[in-house]
Amino acid sequence: MATPSGLIRALHRGTLGQNMVMDRIFSGIQPTGTPHLGNYLGAIQNWVNLQEECSSVLYSIMDMHSLTMPKEPAVLRQNILDTTAAILACGIDPKKCFLFRQSLVPEHAELAWILGCLTNVPRLLRLPQWKMKRASQNNEGTVGLLTYPVLQAADILLYKSTHVPVGEDQVLHLELAQDIAQHFNKKYGEFFPVPKAILSTTKKIKSLRDPTVKMSKSDPQKLATVNIADSPDEIVLKFRKAVTDFTSEVTFDPDGRPGVSNLVSIHAAVTGLSIKEVLHQSAGLDTARYKMVVAESVIQRFAPIRNEIKKLQEDKSHLMKVLEDGAEKAKELAAPIYQEIRRMVGFQ
């Protein structure tokens, strides 16, 4: 298995490790229930590594962000608990990080208003997520959907975070947070560090049914997405039905052979092997047999996580207490920072 430092890299020069002092890391995940394979390999796995490398780490269940897409209250409540159970089962340790629910720290929303007053609307209208998600709402996107990148900036800046693990599709949002931090500093005086991005070296995990798009919880094709709590039979079925092509050899060519290349990326990520090592091990296998090799690797990786999720889901009070305790710690950290912001902008 690669070392944690080898799995992640800073987007803006330098590598994470002994050569870079990291003051504070912030990241969040929307509560969509049990995460899928792409969430795990692209984000949660890195979160586990980062909590070992940095002494100040905050991870938030972004329940406020989840309201940008319609959800029933009962579904949201359950999703919050299921997401919490899953990331704990994956190895997130509340003793090594602050794990909390975003809405339990009201300063997030209050700071978002202040930062929103420094952000121009045309900048938000240009963000691709606004265009894409607005289309899914019959082109009647809400104010929350338009301005949630400002709330993301507040999430990060409220704790004076210096580094943020992000996916490639969130880089533009982090750039907005960087610009907002600089705008605030220019207007009110140096205060916020300009946060840098940390990108995973794991290849983006694609849909098993359409390897031209990323794996997604909202994919209408049930066989497209592997959830980390899926049973072994479900995992085998999904990989057996995975779209490849008419060439039987296992190769890695994301542009020419996206389907089989996605399988190779998944295989490498769950085993900790390099792409080259995976191809060497798979020499002589046709794609049908190779699908089962990848499925078995995923099953083995997720078996202990799946069992732990089931145990944690049986104790809702424990999950709620973890989030409440984390929120209290986050509030203690945020309070003096936000009080200084209030003073700087003239509220007190």
Side-chain angles (χ1 to χ4, degrees):
M1 195 68 145
T3 63
S5 291
L7 287 171
I8 42 189
R9 62 184 171 84
L11 180 62
H12 299 286
R13 293 187 301 174
T15 55
L16 180 60
Q18 295 180 350
N19 294 329
M20 178 182 283
V21 176
M22 297 190 65
D23 295 325
R24 183 161 295 141
I25 293 171
F26 180 93
S27 193
I29 186 170
Q30 284 204 34
T32 57
T34 304
H36 59 68
L37 178 63
N39 297 142
Y40 174 77
L41 296 175
I44 299 172
Q45 183 174 246
N46 286 342
W47 283 16
V48 174
N49 295 328
L50 287 167
Q51 72 180 0
E52 303 294 338
E53 294 197 346
C54 183
S55 60
S56 183
V57 181
L58 297 96
Y59 297 137
S60 182
I61 306 295
M62 303 299 221
D63 51 350
M64 294 171 67
H65 286 291
S66 69
L67 293 181
T68 59
M69 303 299 283
K71 286 181 182 63
E72 291 296 324
V75 172
L76 177 57
R77 291 187 196 101
Q78 188 60 50
N79 281 353
I80 290 168
L81 295 176
D82 287 345
T83 301
T84 304
I87 61 178
L88 289 173
C90 288
I92 295 300
D93 185 350
K95 295 178 182 178
K96 298 178 180 179
C97 65
F98 293 177
L99 176 62
F100 67 100
R101 209 171 87 214
Q102 178 191 26
S103 65
L104 292 179
V105 184
E107 288 88 348
H108 284 254
E110 294 179 30
L111 179 56
W113 176 258
I114 294 172
L115 301 183
C117 294
L118 301 176
T119 308
N120 66 63
V121 172
R123 175 71 182 275
L124 299 178
L125 291 172
R126 289 196 297 270
L127 293 171
Q129 278 85 350
W130 160 251
K131 297 175 184 177
M132 179 181 67
K133 293 185 178 181
R134 179 171 173 259
S136 71
Q137 296 184 2
N138 299 318
N139 292 321
E140 295 180 355
T142 63
V143 172
L145 186 61
L146 176 65
T147 61
Y148 88 88
V150 179
L151 178 56
Q152 283 184 322
D155 299 329
I156 296 163
L157 299 178
L158 178 61
Y159 303 98
K160 289 188 151 183
S161 307
T162 57
H163 290 77
V164 184
V166 292
E168 292 177 8
D169 57 346
Q170 290 292 321
V171 169
L172 289 177
H173 286 193
L174 183 62
E175 289 177 355
L176 176 67
Q178 293 168 340
D179 291 346
I180 290 174
Q182 291 171 328
H183 189 175
F184 184 97
N185 292 345
K186 185 176 180 180
K187 183 176 179 65
Y188 295 109
E190 287 297 321
F191 185 73
F192 292 123
V194 178
K196 293 181 170 62
I198 302 170
L199 286 180
S200 170
T201 56
T202 300
K203 304 290 184 184
K204 184 181 290 186
I205 304 304
K206 303 297 183 66
S207 161
L208 295 184
R209 299 300 297 162
D210 180 3
T212 64
V213 300
K214 74 174 185 177
M215 188 174 285
S216 172
K217 192 85 171 180
S218 59
D219 196 313
Q221 298 191 67
K222 299 301 181 184
L223 297 178
T225 303
V226 177
N227 296 308
I228 63 176
D230 280 349
S231 69
D233 287 345
E234 288 172 321
I235 292 171
V236 166
L237 175 62
K238 289 176 180 180
F239 277 100
R240 181 180 292 129
K241 296 291 186 179
V243 170
T244 51
D245 53 39
F246 297 109
T247 302
S248 62
E249 185 182 5
V250 178
T251 62
F252 187 73
D253 178 8
D255 294 327
R257 303 187 68 199
V260 72
S261 298
N262 187 41
L263 297 180
V264 171
S265 293
I266 292 170
H267 191 188
V270 298
T271 60
L273 298 172
S274 67
I275 297 293
K276 186 177 180 179
E277 288 170 328
V278 164
L279 293 176
H280 178 73
Q281 286 189 3
S282 307
L285 293 179
D286 60 29
T287 51
R289 290 169 61 196
Y290 182 61
K291 288 178 182 181
M292 295 303 96
V293 170
V294 180
E296 184 58 33
S297 296
V298 172
I299 289 168
Q300 289 182 9
R301 183 63 176 268
F302 285 161
I305 294 174
R306 182 168 170 261
N307 293 335
E308 186 64 18
I309 288 173
K310 287 183 178 179
K311 291 179 184 177
L312 289 165
Q313 286 176 328
E314 293 173 358
D315 192 350
K316 291 185 178 181
S317 61
H318 169 68
L319 296 175
M320 293 171 66
K321 187 173 190 309
V322 167
L323 296 177
E324 289 167 358
D325 290 349
E328 287 303 314
K329 295 176 183 176
K331 285 179 185 177
E332 290 178 9
L333 188 61
I337 296 172
Y338 186 62
Q339 285 305 309
E340 180 61 15
I341 293 168
R342 285 177 55 85
R343 185 196 66 77
M344 294 176 77
V345 302
F347 285 170
Q348 61 185 44

